[in-house]
Amino acid sequence: MVARTQLSRLGLFDAKVPRYTSYPTSPHFKNDVTPTNFSDWIQAIPENSDISLYLHVPFCRRLCWFCACRTQGTASGEPVTAYVETLKDELSLLKRHLPRGVRLSRLHWGGGTPTLLSPDHMRDLSATVREVADFADNYEFSVEIDPNEIDAARLDALFEAGMNRASIGVQDFDPEIQKTIGREQSFETTKRAVDMIRDRGIQSLNADILYGLPHQTRSKIVDSVQKLLSLSPDRVALYGYAHVPWMAKRQQMIPSDALPRPDDRLDLFETARKLFVWDNYDEIGIDHFATKEDGLSVAARNGTLRRNFQGYTDDTSDVLVGLGASSISRFPQGYAQNAPATSAYTKAIRAHAFSTVRGHSFSEQDKLRARMIEMLMCDFRVDTSELVRDYNTTETEIRGILERTNSAFEDLLVVDDTGLFVPPGARPLTRIIARSFDAYDLSSAGHSSAI
């Protein structure tokens, strides 16, 4: 690895940068993208093509303090029942605009806590989805599962609906850390959920774990990773905890003086990374790991790895339709986001209109720079020939951008006639390097530490 003094000098320990799950990033969305744009973009989808569909459930039984997602707590089932009915109405509205023969290559239920839904809600919602579009061959239907909020009846309903990939949030198994972040979830509870998932023949399992949490030490993250490895997940996302209490008010419950220093965060990441590699997982991009048979590993080897709002994906569909409050859709033409507040979202759908309130229409430069950032984040390289072939640019323009980037990073990178390559030792800087391709003002709040 590059010396820590040089990594520090280049901003690794103090830079605040986007995660680049989109470009431009959501702080740059504007209210000039309307429901009319959304419906036009839906109707422009080619007939008989494959798309991805995301359903957002913004409710949780309890609100975890570390989480910065748009969620709301509920102690009763009434708001959830009402929300499911609204989602069904939105699905019906989508069906009226969707061209013929469109199929689902990916279906993901996220949140929030989608497993808060009752078995009947799950069956009802999944049946409505299938009325809109059927699954494509080799489809993937994934659901975010809270081990504290799942039982046999709900797993049976999901399995019957076609779920073939489950995703569980672990964060950390240490009791002190769990108590500090407001997420108490024992290893035994997690293992019980995983065993129930496996017992139903669902072999594909994702897991999320965090580094940079309060009171987290090297020995604690070793213990948590080893426990996670004993569950044999197919994919693991090793995310850095982003402490942004000015944006996510509930994070004010977490004592900032208990957080590890930036230099210690790098140690925590490297410790966890080595454990996954030693257990024969492939490194995928900057923060994912996968078994060699998993679709992410196959995509990484084939050069078809992509990046979207859920992180890394092997889905190559051009369209991701997001339904539910605050959901974001991606089309070849741009991004469209639904009303974040559940009340505003519900009001629009009940009026038989899409709830789009903001977004971004792509310029030619947006498309070029988005692909450059995606290449860098997925493959640690930028391929000049592909950019010249597929976008409105020239070798001279690309060469100039890449040489300026390399110069800004003290010639740590490799730039030649084929493009740019990030050597392994410089890869902790990947998000900061990606920032050099970003043409937008990056002073917006909410960006996280580069490590």
Side-chain angles (χ1 to χ4, degrees):
M1 182 177 288
V2 175
R4 291 203 176 194
T5 52
Q6 191 172 16
L7 293 176
S8 177
R9 188 167 62 248
L10 292 171
L12 181 65
F13 301 130
D14 53 19
K16 303 295 182 184
V17 291
R19 293 188 184 275
Y20 286 117
T21 53
S22 70
Y23 181 82
T25 56
S26 59
H28 301 293
F29 292 0
K30 296 180 180 179
N31 59 8
D32 57 355
V33 174
T34 67
T36 299
N37 296 115
F38 183 83
S39 60
D40 287 347
W41 293 348
I42 288 288
Q43 292 175 84
I45 297 172
E47 292 185 358
N48 303 311
S49 61
D50 293 348
I51 67 170
S52 297
L53 182 64
Y54 172 76
L55 268 59
H56 185 64
V57 179
F59 297 98
C60 293
R61 191 74 68 194
R62 69 199 187 291
L63 295 178
C64 303
W65 302 334
F66 74 91
C67 181
C69 298
R70 286 196 67 94
T71 57
Q72 58 194 85
T74 180
S76 72
E78 293 179 7
V80 179
T81 298
Y83 184 80
V84 169
E85 291 303 313
T86 306
L87 265 180
K88 289 167 57 183
D89 288 344
E90 188 180 20
L91 281 161
S92 298
L93 188 60
L94 173 66
K95 182 180 179 180
R96 292 199 291 271
H97 289 77
L98 203 61
R100 291 181 301 175
V102 170
R103 302 181 302 172
L104 303 180
S105 60
R106 296 290 188 277
L107 172 62
H108 183 73
W109 292 7
T113 308
T115 50
L116 199 66
L117 273 58
S118 70
D120 287 342
H121 285 150
M122 291 174 173
R123 293 188 182 93
D124 199 13
L125 189 56
S126 62
T128 305
V129 169
R130 298 294 291 277
E131 290 173 2
V132 175
D134 209 347
F135 287 133
D137 297 336
N138 301 315
Y139 78 93
E140 186 173 282
F141 174 16
S142 57
V143 179
E144 294 176 17
I145 292 176
D146 180 354
N148 288 314
E149 193 65 54
I150 194 65
D151 55 28
R154 283 178 281 187
L155 274 177
D156 286 340
L158 290 171
F159 179 68
E160 292 164 10
M163 181 182 78
N164 53 14
R165 180 176 288 278
S167 181
I168 59 171
V170 169
Q171 323 322 333
D172 193 286
F173 285 120
D174 181 78
E176 180 187 23
I177 294 174
Q178 290 185 354
K179 186 175 182 179
T180 305
I181 66 174
R183 170 75 175 213
E184 296 187 49
Q185 176 186 313
S186 69
F187 172 74
E188 290 73 24
T189 296
T190 307
K191 184 178 185 304
R192 184 162 54 250
V194 170
D195 288 344
M196 286 196 297
I197 291 166
R198 300 287 198 199
D199 288 345
R200 283 155 181 78
I202 301 165
Q203 297 303 314
S204 298
L205 179 69
N206 298 1
D208 295 347
I209 191 167
L210 296 178
Y211 68 92
L213 291 169
H215 304 301
Q216 199 173 45
T217 63
R218 188 178 298 180
S219 63
K220 287 182 177 181
I221 203 168
V222 166
D223 182 65
S224 289
V225 170
Q226 288 177 333
K227 285 177 177 174
L228 177 58
L229 287 170
S230 74
L231 303 177
S232 300
D234 301 87
R235 298 178 186 174
V236 178
L238 175 63
Y239 292 130
Y241 167 61
H243 192 61
V244 287
W246 58 89
M247 184 180 73
K249 300 300 184 184
R250 70 189 77 162
Q251 290 187 354
Q252 294 175 4
M253 301 289 290
I254 296 175
S256 58
D257 58 358
L259 296 170
R261 298 174 305 171
D263 195 53
D264 293 331
R265 284 173 63 97
L266 181 58
D267 284 334
L268 292 167
F269 173 82
E270 280 297 311
T271 298
R273 183 190 71 81
K274 289 175 181 176
L275 289 171
F276 290 120
V277 172
W278 286 340
D279 216 53
N280 210 31
Y281 283 74
D282 286 342
E283 293 186 70
I284 308 296
I286 63 170
D287 54 18
H288 280 52
F289 302 85
T291 60
K292 298 191 182 302
E293 301 78 22
D294 185 82
L296 282 189
S297 291
V298 174
R301 291 193 293 270
N302 294 343
T304 56
L305 189 66
R306 294 293 181 264
R307 194 153 172 84
N308 66 13
F309 296 109
Q310 278 76 56
Y312 290 102
T313 181
D314 55 350
D315 181 27
T316 56
S317 172
D318 288 334
V319 174
L320 167 64
V321 177
L323 301 184
S326 79
S327 283
I328 302 175
S329 300
R330 186 195 187 281
F331 300 92
Q333 298 91 337
Y335 295 115
Q337 183 171 19
N338 286 352
T342 305
S343 56
Y345 158 75
T346 300
K347 181 179 179 181
I349 300 303
R350 286 180 178 171
H352 308 292
F354 290 117
S355 70
T356 310
V357 292
R358 66 183 197 135
H360 182 88
S361 297
F362 295 142
S363 68
E364 290 303 313
Q365 271 292 306
D366 289 335
K367 295 176 184 178
L368 169 65
R369 291 177 180 270
R371 182 60 186 138
M372 292 177 70
I373 289 171
E374 185 177 55
M375 285 178 171
L376 191 77
M377 298 287 289
C378 291
D379 306 318
F380 301 110
R381 67 172 66 248
V382 175
D383 184 340
T384 299
S385 62
E386 178 187 322
L387 296 174
V388 172
R389 182 193 69 207
D390 296 341
Y391 300 91
N392 183 22
T393 188
T394 64
E395 289 187 16
T396 300
E397 180 185 12
I398 299 301
R399 181 80 183 203
I401 295 171
L402 301 185
E403 287 182 345
R404 287 193 297 273
T405 298
N406 193 27
S407 177
F409 286 89
E410 302 178 355
D411 296 325
L412 281 177
L413 315 176
V414 177
V415 175
D416 57 24
D417 290 340
T418 66
L420 177 145
F421 175 71
V422 183
R427 289 178 184 174
L429 297 165
T430 299
R431 284 167 58 203
I432 303 178
I433 298 168
R435 182 179 63 180
S436 69
F437 301 150
D438 193 329
Y440 290 86
D441 176 17
L442 293 179
S443 61
S444 299
H447 298 151
S448 62
S449 170
I451 184 63

